[in-house]
Amino acid sequence: MAHIILPPDWRIPERHITPESWYWQSVSRRTCLKLMGLGTLALTGWLPGCSGPVNEQEFARNPQHYEWTDLDRTIYPAPRNPTFTLDRPMTPEHIAAQYNNFYEFSQAKDDVWKRVTAFEPRPWDIRIHGLVHKPRTVSIDDLLRTMPIEERTYRLRCVEAWAMAVPWSGFPFKALIDWVQPLSTARFVRLTAFYNPSVAMGQRGYGPWPYTEGLTMAEAANELTLLATGIYGHPLPKQHGAPLRLVTPWKYGYKSIKSVVDIEFVREQPATFWNTLVPWEYDFQANVNPAVPHPRWLQETERMIGTNERRPTLYLNGYEPWVGTLYT
Ligand SMILES: Nc1nc2c(c(=O)[nH]1)N[C@H]1C(S)=C(S)[C@@H](COP(=O)(O)O)O[C@H]1N2
Ligand SMILES: [Mo]
């Protein structure tokens, strides 16, 4: 979703945009120069090799963006749920970890993993409230202790027509629903991400921050809907949305909100980040559908990150057996 086409209300004078874009450019340039060991020698001109991902060995030499706690060691790797199988090779971990959408940190995808260093996903509380019998504020560790953590391999399809296939660890959203017992008046659930512009430079630019998303109650309660706490058999790295992110594999990736701090059960359909910012490009429902064209990306096919293999886009990302009846 880079190069966001802003609706008129969001348009701000060029002079306000410039320092921000300059900042982004100069940071990625500095990081890159450091990695290349060039110091200040190559400050001008195009820098080859500064945009692509680093290979597996180089990536492993960089600090991993997750830490193991004693509790984590009792949880990961979690038992794999065999119900969910892939129809294509799994995306290698170092590829998925260096190609991220996380606008709080960057508008590019290849440098999110370098920009999350100052972000602290622990301690972390999640407030669960609204139209529920048992509102709770719970730490991520208490959630990990309370919820049944399992591993599931899912495809993830971004609206920008790239895709990946990864092993998440997490628990069904339904388990959280049963825990807080929504009232019969709850029709939607609204999820909100963290807000901390001192570490998330993107939040100093245009919003509406914090990032928010939403689901109908039927979608939230569907067997597929996962709250992920881990990936590739370990805790979630920051760039994937530590310590808690939503995963709805039949919907475009923008539904899968990262670094959630607040879950509210509500009566009305909530406003969401992308739908508020660019409503003609990102609808609330966000179901993967090759037949519904997007103004900027053809949706008939998708590109697997890592291999660049093109595959036909599947209706509901291939998850019709689970969620097809929700939309008839
Ligand atoms: N808080 C937050 N969550 C977010 C985003 C974001 O910018 N901020 N981007 C979304 C988009 S567009 C996609 S495709 C997925 C990407 O997840 P990944 O980087 O773990 O592959 O995260 C989603 N969740
Ligand atoms: Mo996306």
Side-chain angles (χ1 to χ4, degrees):
M1 287 170 221
H3 315 296
I4 299 161
I5 298 170
L6 294 172
D9 286 354
W10 292 92
R11 243 180 251 287
I12 45 175
E14 186 72 27
R15 67 180 179 279
H16 289 158
I17 294 175
T18 306
E20 181 73 3
S21 8
W22 176 84
Y23 174 84
W24 287 117
Q25 255 190 5
S26 76
V27 165
S28 85
R29 211 161 256 214
R30 269 183 270 132
T31 317
C32 187
L33 288 171
K34 230 154 94 187
L35 288 175
M36 292 171 73
L38 290 181
T40 52
L41 277 176
L43 270 173
T44 50
W46 182 66
L47 295 167
C50 280
S51 54
V54 301
N55 68 30
E56 199 170 353
Q57 289 78 28
E58 284 172 275
F59 183 72
R61 275 199 295 276
N62 281 285
Q64 295 296 305
H65 293 288
Y66 59 91
E67 279 168 32
W68 289 89
T69 63
D70 288 342
L71 176 63
D72 290 329
R73 283 179 221 286
T74 68
I75 289 172
Y76 308 107
R80 182 171 293 183
N81 183 334
T83 315
F84 307 101
T85 53
L86 294 177
D87 60 348
R88 62 197 75 180
M90 194 121 81
T91 304
E93 176 172 3
H94 75 282
I95 300 287
Q98 295 177 90
Y99 197 85
N100 306 99
N101 271 333
F102 205 166
Y103 280 75
E104 283 86 338
F105 295 100
S106 174
Q107 295 193 16
K109 287 167 232 309
D110 59 358
D111 61 354
V112 173
W113 65 284
K114 299 175 197 163
R115 292 184 178 198
V116 290
T117 320
F119 173 62
E120 291 291 347
R122 260 188 177 110
W124 191 277
D125 282 344
I126 298 117
R127 180 172 176 225
I128 312 163
H129 63 118
L131 303 172
V132 293
H133 285 291
K134 302 199 165 159
R136 301 168 190 268
T137 295
V138 63
S139 70
I140 185 63
D141 289 344
D142 282 341
L143 260 190
L144 286 171
R145 275 186 278 262
T146 310
M147 294 293 150
I149 310 290
E150 60 180 50
E151 184 172 87
R152 296 182 180 190
T153 55
Y154 277 166
R155 298 179 291 276
L156 184 145
R157 170 63 153 78
C158 175
V159 70
E160 298 160 333
W162 57 267
M164 62 181 192
V166 300
W168 301 107
S169 307
F171 58 91
F173 203 108
K174 178 67 164 55
L176 183 132
I177 290 177
D178 293 344
W179 198 47
V180 299
Q181 299 172 20
L183 309 178
S184 57
T185 46
R187 292 170 56 229
F188 294 89
V189 57
R190 171 179 188 266
L191 297 97
T192 308
F194 78 102
Y195 182 70
N196 184 359
S198 68
V199 297
M201 298 299 291
Q203 291 180 336
R204 300 185 196 176
Y206 44 80
W209 303 111
Y211 196 103
T212 50
E213 260 303 341
L215 295 170
T216 66
M217 283 299 291
E219 290 171 336
N222 189 271
E223 190 191 352
L224 281 180
T225 306
L226 198 70
L227 281 163
T229 58
I231 192 170
Y232 295 99
H234 55 65
L236 272 183
K238 298 174 187 181
Q239 63 268 39
H240 283 303
L244 185 76
R245 61 99 47 92
L246 183 67
V247 181
T248 47
W250 74 100
K251 293 180 178 289
Y252 290 120
Y254 64 89
K255 267 289 153 190
S256 296
I257 177 173
K258 297 176 171 182
S259 305
V260 171
V261 295
D262 189 290
I263 300 174
E264 185 181 3
F265 291 81
V266 296
R267 186 193 293 270
E268 306 300 334
Q269 178 178 306
T272 59
F273 182 86
W274 286 111
N275 183 249
T276 303
L277 195 55
V278 201
W280 58 91
E281 295 202 1
Y282 311 109
D283 66 325
F284 176 83
Q285 192 175 67
N287 285 345
V288 175
N289 192 341
V292 176
H294 184 276
R296 287 188 288 149
W297 300 285
L298 291 174
Q299 296 298 15
E300 289 93 338
T301 66
E302 62 199 31
R303 176 182 62 87
M304 296 305 296
I305 58 169
T307 59
N308 289 333
E309 179 200 5
R310 283 256 154 215
R311 301 185 67 109
T313 301
L314 306 171
Y315 175 60
L316 298 174
N317 206 19
Y319 294 102
E320 199 175 357
W322 282 273
V323 288
T325 56
L326 293 178
Y327 309 109
T328 46

